Amino acid sequence: MPIWTQHGDGRTVEPGAVVKPHERLGWPATIAIGAQHVVAMFGATFLVPLLTGFPVSTTLLFSGIGTLLFLVLTGNRLPSYLGSSFAFIAPILALGPGGGKALETGEQISQALLGVFVAGVLLAGIGLLVQATGTGWIEKLMPPVVSGAIVALIGLNLAPVAWTNFQQDALLGGITLAACILFAVFFRGFLGRISIFLGVVVGYVVAALMGRVKWDGVADAAWVGLPQFHLPAFGDAHAWAMLPMFLPVILVLIAENVGHVRGVATMTGDPSINKRTGRALIADGLATTIAGLGGGSGTTTYGENIGVMAATRVYSTAAYWVAGTVAILLAFSPKIGAVIFAMPAGVLGGVTTALYGLIGVIGIKIWVDNQVDFSRPVNQYTVAVAFVIAIAGFTMNLGTLSFGAIVLGTVAALVIYHLGNAIARARKTGADDGGPIVPIGPLGGDPENVG
């Protein structure tokens, strides 16, 4: 069982001080802060299964398990909640019925789980490599112009999915979108950071008052029960052929984890936390692998929860043990999952219009923070080609292998940038390396609160 030293009187945080990962406040205060972390993660975490068709309860279960595993593997010194990663949405939907619709059968879910499982295994392997060699090679592979393009193109590629849902009930979509924007603009601190979640709540309540929520499944669901489990389709040739769709997700997860570690190290004033980058990647990789084995979505470190830590100045891992435990308990209530799945398509359309756009903005913020020079042709073409591929939905088939827009856009960004700079160096034009990766929040977070 983890042990923490008590900070001060256990009730307050002194001006200018922070509660560090190995410390905690009194248990009542710690439980209250843990509850805030549950609220902060919940909006983004439940949206992923809602959009993809994965079981909500199962996703909550594996996010909770993944969080506790993360805390153990990082020595209980790196505070983080592992929630559902939005980077997985696009490749998962590619295995569905098309048109941006969620997966409809257990077979489709099993096919998608193979991609989640393999992505987790590869991420854990990269974590082992980083543990042995450091993060320098990651910074060379994905400088800001490239990492920003990869993050942004995932959001832009998902834009048609938002429209598919929005047009089914434009009134609900508009109300939900307006609520998300108003909460983000008018509120600061914690409420502003969970504007997406609050917007969904407003949209759902309005839909219920208008009689547009179908409650049949909610009434039939039990209050307590086991989550639905699915196994990955290891023997499915189609699932293996679609596997390349999941590979760019790994690059996003690397950037998110590296950014999270650096962000926590900076905010706590403890640079030694940076040494746990390899462990963070291993832990997130294993959490994603386990989720893929049982029916949950892939996980990532959450910027929403960084926002809670910044607001409270409490970085205690004890609060995350509370949050992870609560998520596991919530997973054993099928009625909660049924309530979430009853959400009308118009509400989803409104929230995803904001959400997918924010993913693009996070990528742009990486460029702004690092002062990426877009007067250089190599930077211009790195982004321009990747974006058009993503927005237009380019695809390419090689035999049984299928490469979607995210894969092609990612490859284009990497090849154009590195080949262009190699040519520039050969001509001795002094090409730069694009600078280091900066902290970025998880997909789905508020761009003002990441890193």
Side-chain angles (χ1 to χ4, degrees):
M1 184 69 183
I3 298 175
W4 301 269
T5 58
Q6 182 167 294
H7 177 89
D9 61 7
R11 295 188 301 274
T12 58
V13 183
E14 300 79 3
V18 299
V19 179
K20 295 193 173 182
H22 64 278
E23 299 176 323
R24 67 167 176 83
L25 296 175
W27 280 113
T30 297
I31 291 172
I33 293 171
Q36 290 187 78
H37 282 298
V38 172
V39 173
M41 70 81 183
F42 197 78
T45 293
F46 84 73
L47 273 178
V48 173
L50 191 60
L51 294 170
T52 59
F54 276 33
V56 174
S57 296
T58 314
T59 299
L60 280 174
L61 173 65
F62 285 109
S63 74
I65 291 174
T67 297
L68 302 188
L69 178 65
F70 185 95
L71 295 172
V72 171
L73 294 181
T74 56
N76 205 37
R77 291 296 182 270
L78 183 56
S80 177
Y81 189 89
L82 293 191
S84 304
S85 170
F86 282 91
F88 282 95
I89 294 176
I92 289 174
L93 292 182
L95 287 159
K101 295 182 179 179
L103 307 187
E104 297 176 345
T105 66
E107 179 183 7
Q108 292 172 348
I109 291 176
S110 293
Q111 291 173 342
L113 288 174
L114 177 65
V116 175
F117 172 81
V118 172
V121 171
L122 293 176
L123 182 62
I126 292 170
L128 291 172
L129 181 60
V130 170
Q131 188 74 4
T133 64
T135 61
W137 64 274
I138 295 177
E139 296 169 355
K140 291 293 184 182
L141 176 67
M142 293 192 303
V145 66
V146 174
S147 60
I150 293 172
V151 172
L153 69 84
I154 288 178
L156 297 176
N157 178 253
L158 288 167
V161 177
W163 171 239
T164 297
N165 287 312
F166 193 101
Q167 64 183 332
Q168 294 187 45
D169 194 326
L171 177 60
L172 278 181
I175 291 172
T176 304
L177 177 59
C180 291
I181 295 171
L182 289 174
F183 276 112
V185 171
F186 283 103
F187 291 94
R188 290 292 179 264
F190 180 65
L191 290 179
R193 292 184 179 99
I194 61 170
S195 59
I196 293 292
F197 174 70
L198 295 176
V200 170
V201 172
V202 170
Y204 200 122
V205 170
V206 171
L209 293 175
M210 295 173 66
R212 299 186 185 183
V213 179
K214 297 180 180 179
W215 298 107
D216 298 348
V218 177
D220 296 337
W223 281 103
V224 179
L226 290 174
Q228 281 184 293
F229 295 104
H230 295 273
L231 295 175
F234 289 113
D236 191 310
H238 177 64
W240 284 103
M242 297 294 287
L243 198 59
M245 295 283 292
F246 289 83
L247 298 183
V249 174
I250 301 170
L251 300 179
V252 176
L253 296 181
I254 291 171
E256 288 178 349
N257 277 276
V258 171
H260 180 86
V261 174
R262 291 184 178 179
V264 173
T266 299
M267 289 186 291
T268 60
D270 184 1
S272 68
I273 288 177
N274 286 316
K275 297 179 181 179
R276 299 181 185 270
T277 300
R279 290 191 182 190
L281 292 168
I282 294 170
D284 191 14
L286 289 178
T288 297
T289 301
I290 293 171
L293 281 174
S297 183
T299 61
T300 190
T301 51
Y302 257 28
E304 289 90 337
N305 296 92
I306 283 186
V308 174
M309 290 190 289
T312 62
R313 292 179 294 158
V314 177
Y315 299 87
S316 172
T317 54
Y320 284 97
W321 280 91
V322 173
T325 301
V326 171
I328 293 171
L329 293 175
L330 288 174
F332 288 93
S333 177
K335 193 170 288 290
I336 291 177
V339 169
I340 294 171
F341 262 114
M343 188 177 302
V347 176
L348 287 178
V351 71
T352 52
T353 296
L355 194 61
Y356 297 157
L358 288 174
I359 296 173
V361 172
I362 291 172
I364 295 171
K365 186 175 185 295
I366 294 174
W367 302 332
V368 173
D369 289 346
N370 285 269
Q371 300 180 334
V372 173
D373 183 4
F374 278 106
S375 68
R376 299 186 63 230
V378 67
N379 289 346
Q380 294 174 6
Y381 280 98
T382 295
V383 175
V385 175
F387 273 18
V388 170
I389 289 174
I391 295 170
F394 282 34
T395 59
M396 182 174 67
N397 296 316
L398 293 177
T400 59
L401 295 177
S402 178
F403 300 92
I406 291 179
V407 177
L408 298 177
T410 297
V411 171
L414 289 166
V415 171
I416 293 171
Y417 178 82
H418 289 290
L419 182 60
N421 273 287
I423 294 172
R425 283 193 294 270
R427 296 180 59 191
K428 297 182 180 180
T429 57
D432 64 273
D433 64 0
I437 294 176
V438 298
I440 64 173
L443 303 178
D446 180 348
E448 292 186 358
N449 303 313
V450 294

